[in-house]
């Protein structure tokens, strides 16, 4: 009995000590109270049941203020979505093409005003202006006049081999997911799309009727062509170049451009809807959208972009960061543009870096089973990242996505003390 009483007293003392320790920690770190409050509010939004999983991060120039994951990375196997869960980030990947391009420039390998035919072995010309050279800057600012045709949407994405396809949805309606036997090298695919001899060449629809440099036309093919030019000018494959000059310096240890380069056990499933998973897939044009990363790694990257914007970046020198974040276009370069949406990343553009009319810099992304946002505020020098692993086709899905995004914005000022 005495031993039991002593044990009970000991337990009470430990509980008391732990409570005091917890209270002391809250007093020492009032931001933890704010982070806990944000977590609770995001859990409430997740409980609406409109997505399987999502990851978030909030940063400033000094580092990560908050990162977390919610829901399921693998619903069937009850694997939680955490800040360490990885999935591909869709078109936010293009911002890495921009950084890599400026690094190649910094290394003396190319100039932005160089014609693209200086670096590639095949001819790419707008058939409506065959005597006008397309430059690297045209590609990087989406003014090359190269248009993504149905042949891109129907042939770029490839289902990765050696997976069970019996319980997944392969017939995604918006971008065709092709069998692994369809994969060809990136350069060959670009030739098929862009050269007169190519089987996917479309003289009528593959190029704008405008002169190169005149009109903005968002182009995934143009972005991929830029990555090829980086390869040709540096002699290093794009995935290896970005690993050496971006991922490794920032210690983005979970990131890579294919399943072979990452820990697949940390990879989220992607979902057609709440119940039906999609197959794992990649893209022949992988630089335009297939970086695989965690919320923690993307927080490191976004922090670096803010540092670069303020003149304190580590990946590029100050001059090249200034070039990356220069706004190159004006009203005449657009048929129309949205001044109301604060996160319309096509209001203006730097070097594969989007600018909204409301002062946000970054990029959005969307693929089969992926919706992503990454922006920083150039005034407050704070940034947000959000990614989900489930389609947002119905009207409620996008609403929830924006609810999460707005909640992150609400807490950014609270955490940025």
């Amino acid at each position: 009995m005495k031993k039991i009483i002593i044990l009970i007293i000991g337990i009470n003392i430990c509980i008391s000590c732990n409570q005091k320790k917890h209270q002391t920690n809250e007093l020492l770190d009032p931001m933890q109270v704010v982070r806990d409050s944000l977590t609770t509010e995001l859990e409430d939004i997740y409980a609406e049941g409109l997505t399987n999983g999502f990851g978030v991060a909030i940063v400033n120039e000094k580092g990560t203020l908050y990162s977390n994951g919610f829901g399921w990375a693998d619903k069937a196997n009850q694997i939680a979505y955490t800040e360490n869960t990885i999935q591909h980030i869709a078109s936010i990947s293009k911002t890495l093409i921009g950084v890599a391009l400026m690094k190649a420039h910094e290394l003396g390998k190319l100039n932005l005003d160089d014609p693209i035919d200086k670096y590639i072995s095949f001819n790419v010309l707008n058939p409506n202006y065959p005597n006008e050279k397309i430059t690297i800057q045209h590609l990087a600012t989406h003014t090359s006049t190269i248009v993504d045709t149905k042949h891109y949407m129907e042939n770029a994405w490839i289902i990765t081999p050696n997976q069970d396809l019996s319980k997944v949805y392969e017939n995604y309606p918006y971008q065709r997911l092709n069998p692994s036997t369809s994969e060809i090298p990136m350069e060959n695919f670009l030739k098929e799309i862009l050269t007169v001899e190519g089987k996917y060449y479309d003289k009528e629809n593959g190029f704008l009727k405008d002169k190169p440099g005149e009109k903005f036309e968002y182009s995934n093919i143009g972005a991929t062509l830029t990555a090829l030019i980086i390869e040709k000018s540096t002699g290093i494959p794009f995935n290896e170049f970005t690993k050496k000059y971006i991922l490794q310096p920032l210690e983005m240890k979970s990131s890579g451009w294919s399943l072979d380069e990452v820990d697949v056990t940390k990879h989220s499933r992607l979902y057609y809807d709440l119940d039906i998973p999609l197959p794992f897939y990649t893209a022949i044009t992988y630089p335009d959208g297939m970086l695989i990363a965690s919320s923690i790694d993307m927080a490191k990257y976004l922090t670096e972009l803010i540092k670069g914007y303020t003149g304190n970046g580590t990946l590029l020198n100050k001059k090249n960061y200034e070039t990356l974040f220069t706004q190159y276009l004006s009203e005449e370069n657009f048929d129309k543009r949205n001044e109301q949406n604060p996160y319309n990343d096509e209001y203006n553009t730097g070097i594969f870096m989007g600018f909204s009319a409301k002062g946000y810099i970054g990029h959005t992304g969307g693929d089969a089973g992926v919706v992503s946002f990454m922006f920083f505020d150039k005034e407050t020098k704070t940034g947000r990242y959000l990614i989900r692993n489930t389609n947002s086709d119905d009207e409620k899905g996008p609403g929830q996505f924006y609810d999460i995004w707005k909640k992150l914005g609400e807490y950014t000022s609270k955490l940025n003390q």
Side-chain angles (χ1 to χ4, degrees):
M1 184 67 168
K2 183 178 178 181
K3 290 181 179 179
I4 294 175
I5 292 172
I6 291 172
L7 179 61
I8 292 172
I9 291 172
I11 292 171
N12 286 335
I13 290 172
C14 290
I15 292 172
S16 177
C17 289
N18 287 335
Q19 288 175 338
K20 289 179 179 178
K21 183 178 180 181
H22 179 69
Q23 291 168 354
T24 301
N25 285 342
E26 286 189 347
L27 290 173
L28 291 176
D29 185 11
M31 288 299 101
Q32 186 58 48
V33 178
V34 179
R35 288 191 288 270
D36 290 345
S37 177
L38 174 55
T39 297
T40 298
E41 296 211 44
L42 292 177
E43 286 173 342
D44 289 343
I45 296 175
Y46 170 74
E48 296 171 3
L50 298 173
T51 186
N52 282 324
F54 65 91
V56 300
I58 300 172
V59 307
N60 62 13
E61 189 177 0
K62 296 179 181 179
T64 303
L65 300 174
Y66 179 87
S67 61
N68 212 338
F70 299 84
W72 301 114
D74 187 330
K75 187 176 181 181
N77 293 302
Q78 299 286 281
I79 299 174
Y81 199 114
T82 74
E83 60 188 1
N84 295 304
T85 299
I86 59 176
Q87 67 173 90
H88 81 268
I89 64 173
S91 285
I92 294 175
S93 304
K94 291 183 180 67
T95 65
L96 279 85
I97 301 178
V99 175
L101 182 63
M102 295 317 304
K103 175 54 72 171
H105 176 263
E106 188 174 298
L107 295 172
K109 302 299 183 180
L110 52 76
N111 293 305
L112 295 183
D113 58 1
D114 287 340
I116 62 175
D117 59 13
K118 181 178 178 180
Y119 301 97
I120 56 177
S121 60
F122 52 97
N123 291 323
V124 179
L125 297 170
N126 183 329
N128 303 297
Y129 293 92
N131 296 320
E132 293 290 331
K133 296 285 188 178
I134 297 174
T135 68
I136 295 174
Q137 183 168 311
H138 291 154
L139 295 177
T141 58
H142 295 291
T143 57
S144 68
T145 69
I146 296 172
V147 177
D148 294 329
T149 65
K150 66 176 184 178
H151 302 292
Y152 166 75
M153 297 302 296
E154 292 176 356
N155 296 284
W157 288 274
I158 304 294
I159 296 172
T160 56
N162 304 318
Q163 60 175 306
D164 182 5
L165 301 177
S166 62
K167 296 181 180 180
V168 300
Y169 187 73
E170 298 179 61
N171 300 313
Y172 189 72
Y174 308 115
Q175 57 191 72
R176 189 165 66 191
L177 304 179
N178 298 280
S180 58
T181 53
S182 302
E183 188 166 14
I184 62 174
M186 181 173 72
E187 183 173 1
N188 292 0
F189 184 74
L190 290 173
K191 288 179 181 178
E192 298 289 5
I193 291 277
L194 294 170
T195 64
V196 175
E197 301 82 10
K199 65 179 178 180
Y200 301 135
Y201 183 75
D202 188 337
K203 181 178 179 180
E204 182 64 26
N205 302 302
F207 297 85
L208 295 181
K209 301 301 188 288
D210 303 280
K211 187 185 299 185
E214 287 186 345
K215 290 294 182 181
F216 177 90
E217 173 69 22
Y218 186 88
S219 177
N220 289 283
I221 289 295
T224 305
L225 183 56
T226 307
L228 179 64
I229 289 171
I230 293 170
E231 290 190 349
K232 297 298 185 181
S233 65
T234 64
I236 305 173
F238 180 77
N239 62 322
E240 294 181 15
F241 187 85
T242 51
K243 182 177 181 180
K244 179 178 181 179
Y245 290 107
I246 301 175
L247 304 184
Q248 288 182 340
L250 295 182
E251 297 187 351
M252 296 173 66
K253 297 178 181 180
S254 297
S255 301
W257 291 96
S258 70
L259 296 181
D260 294 334
E261 298 178 11
V262 300
D263 183 351
V264 180
T265 65
K266 295 182 179 179
H267 200 297
S268 176
R269 289 234 63 124
L270 303 178
Y271 293 88
Y272 176 71
D273 60 24
L274 289 173
D275 299 311
I276 304 175
L278 292 161
F280 290 107
Y281 64 90
T282 185
I284 297 171
T285 59
Y286 76 89
D288 73 15
M290 291 304 300
L291 180 73
I292 302 168
S294 65
S295 296
I296 284 182
D297 276 3
M298 290 307 295
K300 294 175 182 177
Y301 177 64
L302 184 52
T303 294
E304 169 64 17
L305 292 183
I306 298 172
K307 287 181 178 179
Y309 184 79
T310 58
N312 301 304
T314 60
L315 297 181
L316 303 172
N317 63 34
K318 187 175 181 179
K319 183 177 181 182
N320 280 291
Y321 260 124
E322 288 175 352
T323 303
L324 182 77
F325 290 116
T326 295
Q327 297 186 57
Y328 285 90
L329 307 183
S330 61
E331 189 72 34
E332 64 184 13
N333 297 116
F334 298 85
D335 291 328
K336 60 179 180 178
R337 55 181 177 173
N338 189 336
E339 297 184 4
Q340 303 305 315
N341 185 346
Y343 306 107
N344 170 34
D345 58 356
E346 297 183 6
Y347 181 80
N348 209 327
T349 185
I351 301 300
F352 289 114
M353 197 67 63
F355 288 78
S356 82
K358 305 298 183 181
Y360 294 99
I361 303 172
H363 217 289
T364 62
D367 262 340
V370 181
V371 187
S372 57
F373 266 27
M374 181 192 74
F375 286 98
F376 70 87
D377 186 325
K378 65 181 182 181
E379 299 301 327
T380 65
K381 312 300 189 294
T382 58
R384 289 172 272 168
Y385 173 74
L386 168 59
I387 191 164
R388 59 181 279 170
N389 65 5
T390 311
N391 277 342
S392 291
D393 289 343
D394 63 33
E395 59 185 28
K396 292 182 179 180
Q400 185 195 54
F401 186 86
Y402 277 102
D403 286 344
I404 298 168
W405 185 253
K406 287 185 289 186
K407 189 60 63 178
L408 295 175
E410 177 186 326
Y411 274 83
T412 296
S413 58
K414 297 178 182 179
L415 290 167
N416 187 39
Q417 301 294 327

